[in-house]
Amino acid sequence: FIGYISQVLKNYTDHACDGEYVSLRCPHRTTISIQSSFYGRIVPSHQLCPSRYPHSYATLIKEDVACSVGTSLQKMLDECQDRRSCQFLVNSRLFGTDPCPGTGKYLLVWYKCRPNEYKSKVACEDDKLRLSCKKSMVIAIYSAIFGRTQGGSLECPYQNLGMPMIECQSATALQLMIKRCHGKRSCSIYASTYEFGDPCYPGIQKHLNVIYTCDSTPLLLPVDETQPPALSSGSSSSMEPVGVGTEMALLSNILAAYAFITENPERAALYFVSGVCIGLVLTLLALVLRVSCRTD
């Protein structure tokens, strides 16, 4: 579990030169979330992705070190966003018009691995944010933003007080949320400048936006909760009927099934319809065999 969370929280960076394959991959139960992308050249070729042309030919063409393609981010979103893995060949034709023919270019990609099932909560400035998970589940923080984003927040609308709309974010919000809530069943924190500092100009209204997921972690539970109590031979508990344990197991299974249905109604409906269809097909086959045997 700890390894899984460390992979989810990690910021990944990958690059590939022209003519090479770029390959992005995320661990199980996560998908790729592209953060940023660059295609072009801003450093000389002797520092990154040396020219494939002979040195005598390369000297005839002045290398452009201020070359970039504005469609690289959208192309990466089209190719890899929300997938567990993706791979493709890097070349200028992939990104449209070549802004600097004759100059060898490269692709830089920054991405994270987002859990398939995650939750998002927003708290306006000076309000309390509460996160919680069900029993035997703990919080795993994916991202946290405190400040004011360019798109704003529907829960905390921006009130224009004669100040321009400027994006500003706290640099320590994610680390603080991980420290307060990571690995716990529940936690609460105020979306205030006292906790996160003030990353914006005075008077700008801020909000706290946290994306997290709940995951099972039996390794973090106390030992006495994961191990059944040992019964001595002279204890009166040893005289308890075996059927009680079976009934408790059945009740636990029923509760687990109910929790699954309430959390995944579409999947439960699909399983139910599939079961009915399979039952009808088996019944039809049984009737066909019975009629065939009677005819014979």
Side-chain angles (χ1 to χ4, degrees):
F1 174 78
I2 299 301
Y4 166 78
I5 291 301
S6 64
Q7 287 182 301
V8 170
L9 296 177
K10 181 180 177 182
N11 290 308
Y12 293 88
T13 304
D14 203 354
H15 81 279
C17 308
D18 275 340
E20 297 179 350
Y21 282 92
V22 63
S23 180
L24 311 184
R25 184 177 299 275
C26 282
H28 182 56
R29 293 189 299 172
T30 64
T31 54
I32 298 171
S33 177
I34 301 295
Q35 304 296 305
S36 182
S37 175
F38 170 83
Y39 178 73
R41 178 171 290 280
I42 55 175
V43 296
S45 58
H46 67 270
Q47 295 182 8
L48 181 63
C49 293
S51 176
R52 294 179 297 170
Y53 301 107
H55 181 70
S56 58
Y57 176 77
T59 56
L60 298 177
I61 301 178
K62 184 178 180 181
E63 191 174 54
D64 189 352
V65 291
C67 171
S68 63
V69 177
T71 59
S72 63
L73 177 58
Q74 185 59 49
K75 186 61 180 178
M76 290 303 304
L77 291 173
D78 295 339
E79 294 287 339
C80 301
Q81 185 73 358
D82 296 330
R83 298 183 180 181
R84 188 184 170 192
S85 63
C86 67
Q87 184 181 30
F88 57 89
L89 182 67
V90 176
N91 57 66
S92 58
R93 294 186 299 273
L94 186 68
F95 298 94
T97 305
D98 191 346
C100 46
T103 298
K105 292 167 283 294
Y106 52 85
L107 174 67
L108 290 173
V109 184
W110 296 267
Y111 68 100
K112 295 182 71 173
C113 294
R114 179 173 58 193
N116 293 337
E117 297 180 359
Y118 59 91
K119 303 176 182 180
S120 177
K121 278 198 172 183
V122 177
C124 303
E125 188 173 3
D126 295 328
D127 290 344
K128 180 183 285 188
L129 179 72
R130 295 182 177 88
L131 307 181
S132 62
C133 293
K134 296 182 178 180
K135 189 177 181 180
S136 76
M137 308 283 282
V138 296
I139 299 169
I141 302 295
Y142 171 71
S143 69
I145 296 175
F146 177 75
R148 173 61 58 176
T149 56
Q150 193 66 33
S153 171
L154 296 177
E155 295 86 350
C156 309
Y158 178 71
Q159 296 180 3
N160 189 0
L161 301 177
M163 303 185 64
M165 182 63 179
I166 300 176
E167 182 173 350
C168 49
Q169 299 180 17
S170 170
T172 60
L174 178 59
Q175 289 80 1
L176 181 58
M177 289 303 304
I178 292 176
K179 182 179 179 181
R180 289 289 188 87
C181 302
H182 183 67
K184 299 179 180 179
R185 276 192 58 197
S186 63
C187 68
S188 61
I189 188 172
Y190 280 97
S192 65
T193 56
Y194 176 79
E195 296 282 0
F196 298 93
D198 196 346
C200 307
Y201 290 111
I204 294 181
Q205 295 174 324
K206 297 164 281 292
H207 63 268
L208 175 62
N209 186 4
V210 178
I211 297 177
Y212 69 102
T213 183
C214 294
D215 211 327
S216 303
T217 170
L219 295 178
L220 296 182
L221 293 178
V223 177
D224 57 354
E225 292 186 22
T226 57
Q227 298 292 336
L231 298 179
S232 61
S233 58
S235 173
S236 59
S237 300
S238 61
M239 301 301 293
E240 186 178 3
V242 179
V244 176
T246 305
E247 292 176 0
M248 292 302 296
L250 179 61
L251 180 59
S252 299
N253 292 334
I254 293 174
L255 293 176
Y258 176 75
F260 175 82
I261 293 173
T262 54
E263 292 181 0
N264 306 275
E266 296 86 357
R267 189 179 299 179
L270 177 62
Y271 291 161
F272 176 75
V273 173
S274 301
V276 171
C277 293
I278 293 174
L280 291 175
V281 170
L282 293 177
T283 303
L284 181 61
L285 290 176
L287 290 175
V288 169
L289 290 175
R290 184 175 181 180
V291 171
S292 299
C293 291
R294 282 186 174 182
T295 304
D296 294 341

